[in-house]
Amino acid sequence: MDTFNLKMNEPVGETRLDAGVQNVIGKGIDRFEGPLKVSGQARYAYETMHGANVAYGHLVTAGTAAARIKRVDVMAALAKAGVLDVIYEDGGPRASADASDPMPAPIKGAVVHYGQPICLVVATSFEIARDAARLVEIEYEKTEGVFDLAAEQGKAYEPPKGSGAMPSTVTRGDFDKAFAKAEMQFDATYTTPSQSHSAMEPHAAVADWKDDELTLYGCYQLVSTNVSQLAKALGISASKVHMVNRYIGGGFGGKLGIGPESVFAALASRRLGRPVKVALTRQQVYQATSRRSDTIQRVRLGTDKSGRIQAIAHDTITSNSEGDEFFEPAGISTVFLYAGENRQITHRKVNLNLLLSSSMRAPGEAVGMLALENAMDEMAEQLGLDPVEFRKRNEPEVDPQDGLPFSSRMLVECMDEGARRFGWKERRAKPGTRREGEWLIGMGMAAASRLNQLQQASARVTLLGSGRATVETDMTDIGTGTYTILQQIAAEMLGLPHENVDVMLGDSRLPQAPGSGGSWGANSSGSAVYTACEGIVEALAKKLGVKPDEMTLKDATVIAGNRQTPLSQVLSDGPIVMTGNFKPGKTAQNTHQASYGAHFCEVGVNAVTGEVRVRRMMTVGTAGRILNEKTATSQCYGGQIFGIGAALTEELVVDVRSGLLVNHDLAEYHVPVNADIPQLEVVLLPERDRAASPLAGKGIGELAICGVGAAVTNAIYNACGVRVRDYPMTLDKILAGLPANGHRIAAE
């Protein structure tokens, strides 16, 4: 087996992907694993092992939010027929790990949040384990807990260096001086609640120890990271852990770090010497894994009378459990999205007795742009400018923070094209002036941005003389289309029909990829596949005695020197097996890389009830080369729906008296359903970012949610004149601001 290495030190030129000889890359090809999923043949973690020897575990969780554990009495549970053991260890996990944590935080005799895992009851059936879990008695010495971010914001502190996705403080110039001198000023505070990832598949794991080695079937996004976290939690070498995550029923960041179900399942399997299955209940998923942090965000804008930003500040207070220093980087796009010489972006943290907060789809931008893009809308009105025009007047030529050139940036093109397609010129600037019966109609828009992150990755590609190829990497597919995208890249590079490429993912024994997270998955793992295929192309050229650029690959044949040779003949001595090792390089340091877009929304607000109906939504985006038009568009649909939920319904409600997450199931945690969502439209503009990756592509999965919620709430204001800076914008908050003569308005 050979290796081929590539480091991204220079922008790529024209490649085989640009030639498109096989006409596969970029096409909306159906999902590689789709038939397996719809037919029930794709086995998810909990479905991997069956039989009389398999045991079942059920978590016992804390019924208080702040306490010392004095005693755990398991005798009644152990006496129940069918119960095999109760696993209670002080080093057990108190929640999921953050992706940046070396391992899940251990219990250490304390309860730090409501619903915290305490122990695991293991039995011969799930039903027996669940029933016996109610028999475990836990005696606490309660301590004082704190649960309310707003009440505790005076205790906010600066997180230590290196604990977040960006520095906690970013400044340039003198914001205070520039803001004080600005001709036009805006200063407002926005709040966003905690949110739950709410993936369709609950967290689940099956652990099986054999010969001092652990095989764990899980549903995690970052295989190599998760192996390391699990090994540390168990006190063993990572080489003793084999993890398999072939199919994952959604993650959204909630499965980035190893979860309590895996650690407890592994502890139980090691002790009992048999496979152990653990699946969290839906309530336990909400209470015992992780959440998006609640935030308090103050945005200040200072401009001249023409609307040029001279001072911009975005100051955020966020919460997490004590000892977990991750903070929601709400100002991460504010750093570069708009011009302005004087800048201040800060993040401060408050310790609460709440569940761990960690990354959730578009950590930072998803909630940060709710505030920033509302503020831009409010400032545009104050200036008497159209919201699109105000943003265009503050389009920077280079990164306004550090002066780096943009690798590519088509934000203005996205706004202009979206405005044209959506009919933005028909928008009435004065709120409340367009009515249809009792419905007030309005339009809103918002910009979208998401930093591009490229990661080191490896992949192994095997090319057979039969005209088939296999791609192998421990990269995961959480429903985003990774299987299909890697299939397309290999097919285009090697000149094969895409159905002739098999893809194997999610196994820790395969070459390491960075996993699914940060919108880096497709371009990072795809770059590794590209690199391996480049190595294969060189090997084929060497066999034929030609240069690689003199050779064309199509339909399992090699064309060179006016000769067409079937692969079966070229590879008569055996297959080519190539491992591609890809690393980011100088282009990531020398350019500022991000994906961009613009969202346009039309809503109706009932003048009597305050009900909001989203009538139309369009997203126009650019993310370099689109690798699969169908999966990319689907990702954007998901982001639009996610953003509508954040704007109107989504809120993890905390009982500030006890720390209980009140709405801890899908009945009461309100995500949008089909009736809430109109026909969505997505437009992906052609772009090649040749500094971003060898594929000339950038991340899109998280870009799709950034700014959506602000477009919705800006449309609500345009419809009825009500601004709500406390998300979500539920009808009770809208009703409070509607004119008292709503009934009369509706009748006119």
Side-chain angles (χ1 to χ4, degrees):
M1 181 177 67
D2 295 321
T3 61
F4 197 80
N5 303 316
L6 176 62
K7 191 170 184 178
M8 194 72 186
N9 285 328
E10 299 289 341
V12 296
E14 295 285 317
T15 70
R16 292 179 183 273
L17 299 181
D18 295 291
V21 173
Q22 196 64 39
N23 197 29
V24 174
I25 199 70
K27 302 300 181 183
I29 291 172
D30 291 344
R31 297 283 288 269
F32 172 81
E33 81 289 8
L36 297 177
K37 288 182 174 178
V38 299
S39 64
Q41 297 178 73
R43 287 193 176 186
Y44 291 80
Y46 200 72
E47 302 171 314
T48 50
M49 297 189 76
H50 304 280
N53 193 42
V54 176
Y56 299 81
H58 188 83
L59 278 182
V60 177
T61 58
T64 187
R68 297 296 303 173
I69 300 172
K70 294 181 65 177
R71 181 177 61 90
V72 178
D73 188 344
V74 302
M75 298 307 295
L78 287 172
K80 186 174 180 61
V83 172
L84 301 172
D85 206 346
V86 178
I87 309 299
Y88 171 58
E89 294 194 12
D90 204 37
R94 70 186 196 197
S96 292
D98 181 73
S100 62
D101 292 337
M103 58 182 281
I107 298 169
K108 289 187 176 179
V111 173
V112 298
H113 65 87
Y114 205 107
Q116 173 188 301
I118 302 294
C119 60
L120 182 79
V121 176
V122 188
T124 55
S125 74
F126 169 76
E127 291 79 10
I128 293 173
R130 180 180 59 185
D131 190 47
R134 297 183 298 171
L135 302 177
V136 175
E137 295 184 3
I138 305 172
E139 184 180 348
Y140 305 103
E141 179 184 333
K142 292 189 178 182
T143 57
E144 185 177 356
V146 287
F147 316 112
D148 189 343
L149 177 61
E152 302 295 325
Q153 61 181 303
K155 299 178 183 177
Y157 65 92
E158 184 168 7
K161 186 177 181 180
S163 59
M166 63 177 292
S168 55
T169 299
V170 178
T171 62
R172 180 173 179 172
D174 188 334
F175 168 79
D176 290 332
K177 183 177 180 181
F179 185 71
K181 290 184 176 181
E183 294 177 306
M184 304 292 286
Q185 297 176 342
F186 174 80
D187 184 348
T189 297
Y190 302 83
T191 59
T192 64
S194 290
Q195 298 172 348
S196 176
H197 304 84
S198 300
M200 185 179 294
E201 177 197 27
H203 291 58
V206 180
D208 185 21
W209 284 85
K210 286 182 180 176
D211 301 325
D212 202 33
E213 290 190 0
L214 169 66
T215 297
L216 187 123
Y217 300 92
C219 53
Y220 300 111
Q221 299 176 227
L222 313 176
V223 174
S224 58
T225 296
N226 303 138
V227 165
S228 176
Q229 291 175 328
L230 182 57
K232 284 184 171 64
L234 298 173
I236 62 175
S237 168
S239 64
K240 297 289 187 180
V241 178
H242 175 210
M243 184 174 289
V244 182
N245 301 335
R246 289 200 177 94
Y247 302 106
I248 302 167
F252 310 116
K255 297 172 183 173
L256 288 173
I258 204 73
E261 67 286 347
S262 289
V263 180
F264 274 110
L267 290 169
S269 178
R270 180 164 60 180
R271 184 180 298 183
L272 295 171
R274 61 196 292 181
V276 175
K277 288 187 172 191
V278 179
L280 301 188
T281 66
R282 183 60 64 181
Q283 291 79 10
Q284 288 172 345
V285 170
Y286 279 79
Q287 299 272 23
T289 57
S290 62
R291 64 184 171 99
R292 193 200 292 278
S293 176
D294 42 351
T295 71
I296 301 171
Q297 303 177 53
R298 183 186 182 191
V299 180
R300 286 172 286 173
L301 301 171
T303 75
D304 61 21
K305 290 183 179 178
S306 71
R308 308 286 182 182
I309 295 175
Q310 298 165 332
I312 182 169
H314 192 166
D315 301 303
T316 300
I317 299 174
T318 187
S319 78
N320 206 338
S321 302
E322 186 172 0
D324 293 305
E325 297 300 346
F326 169 87
F327 61 86
E328 184 78 25
I332 196 166
S333 274
T334 311
V335 174
F336 66 88
L337 191 54
Y338 299 115
E341 294 183 3
N342 302 282
R343 319 173 68 78
Q344 173 181 298
I345 296 93
T346 67
H347 300 86
R348 301 295 181 261
K349 176 179 173 281
V350 171
N351 292 325
L352 297 179
N353 287 99
L354 293 180
L355 175 64
L356 166 84
S357 67
S358 66
S359 297
M360 184 169 165
R361 189 174 190 176
E365 295 100 336
V367 292
M369 295 189 75
L370 292 177
L372 176 63
E373 290 301 292
N374 277 165
M376 291 294 289
D377 201 71
E378 294 195 54
M379 190 62 172
E381 183 182 46
Q382 188 174 319
L383 289 160
L385 291 175
D386 178 86
V388 173
E389 175 60 28
F390 178 44
R391 287 167 173 81
K392 290 169 65 174
R393 289 190 186 186
N394 289 287
E395 173 70 3
E397 295 183 0
V398 296
D399 177 2
Q401 182 62 36
D402 57 24
L404 286 177
F406 296 113
S407 60
S408 68
R409 178 172 166 126
M410 294 179 63
L411 175 58
V412 169
E413 290 86 344
C414 289
M415 291 190 290
D416 284 345
E417 183 65 11
R420 182 187 70 80
R421 288 173 177 254
F422 200 72
W424 183 253
K425 65 181 181 180
E426 304 300 324
R427 171 184 177 269
R428 300 181 186 179
K430 185 178 179 181
T433 56
R434 181 182 167 195
R435 296 194 296 272
E436 295 178 7
E438 63 182 40
W439 292 90
L440 302 168
I441 313 301
M443 291 186 188
M445 62 81 57
S449 65
R450 167 72 181 172
L451 282 173
N452 184 58
Q453 303 177 66
L454 200 61
Q455 305 287 325
Q456 182 174 333
S458 295
R460 182 167 57 242
V461 178
T462 302
L463 178 63
L464 303 174
S466 63
R468 295 198 68 84
T470 301
V471 173
E472 297 173 290
T473 170
D474 75 359
M475 178 62 188
T476 55
D477 189 331
I478 60 173
T480 47
T482 309
Y483 276 105
T484 314
I485 289 167
L486 300 188
Q487 180 191 42
Q488 288 175 266
I489 294 169
E492 192 67 67
M493 291 293 294
L494 300 177
L496 302 175
H498 71 274
E499 58 268 20
N500 284 18
V501 180
D502 298 309
V503 182
M504 297 180 65
L505 302 180
D507 188 318
S508 64
R509 291 178 176 170
L510 301 178
Q512 288 188 3
S516 299
S519 292
W520 61 56
N523 278 285
S524 299
S525 59
S527 293
V529 173
Y530 169 92
T531 302
C533 291
E534 281 278 83
I536 290 176
V537 169
E538 285 206 2
L540 288 171
K542 186 176 181 180
K543 282 177 175 288
L544 293 172
V546 299
K547 295 179 180 179
D549 59 3
E550 298 173 347
M551 187 173 65
T552 299
L553 304 177
K554 182 173 174 59
D555 295 332
T557 62
V558 183
I559 305 169
N562 293 322
R563 292 178 58 193
Q564 186 168 313
T565 310
L567 274 177
S568 58
Q569 183 176 332
V570 181
L571 298 179
S572 59
D573 56 347
I576 299 176
V577 182
M578 189 72 62
T579 296
N581 301 309
F582 171 78
K583 290 184 179 181
K586 293 179 181 178
T587 60
Q589 304 161 12
N590 299 336
T591 62
H592 187 278
Q593 300 178 10
S595 301
Y596 296 94
H599 308 290
F600 292 82
C601 181
E602 180 181 277
V603 302
V605 179
N606 192 288
V608 179
T609 67
E611 176 189 355
V612 175
R613 292 183 185 172
V614 178
R615 293 160 50 115
R616 292 191 293 143
M617 173 158 281
M618 171 185 286
T619 293
V620 180
T622 56
R625 185 195 305 277
I626 301 303
L627 302 174
N628 182 308
E629 186 178 16
K630 181 177 289 188
T631 58
T633 300
S634 181
Q635 282 289 286
C636 291
Y637 289 153
Q640 290 171 316
I641 295 166
F642 219 133
I644 290 170
L648 300 178
T649 64
E650 197 166 346
E651 177 179 12
L652 199 55
V653 178
V654 178
D655 185 337
V656 296
R657 302 166 300 177
S658 65
L660 170 68
L661 302 179
V662 178
N663 55 337
H664 49 217
D665 56 45
L666 287 173
E668 296 300 331
Y669 182 81
H670 293 158
V671 297
V673 297
N674 193 56
D676 299 317
I677 303 301
Q679 187 67 37
L680 303 172
E681 189 171 357
V682 172
V683 178
L684 301 173
L685 300 182
E687 183 187 42
R688 299 287 185 270
D689 191 331
R690 302 201 178 269
S693 77
L695 313 178
K698 295 183 283 194
I700 196 170
E702 291 171 290
L703 172 72
I705 186 179
C706 302
V708 171
V712 175
T713 53
N714 288 338
I716 292 171
Y717 174 74
N718 182 248
C720 65
V722 177
R723 288 277 187 198
V724 177
R725 297 172 178 148
D726 177 30
Y727 281 91
M729 202 168 182
T730 48
L731 62 85
D732 56 310
K733 298 172 185 176
I734 296 171
L735 273 172
L738 285 177
N741 62 347
H743 286 280
R744 184 179 61 80
I745 290 175
E748 289 181 352

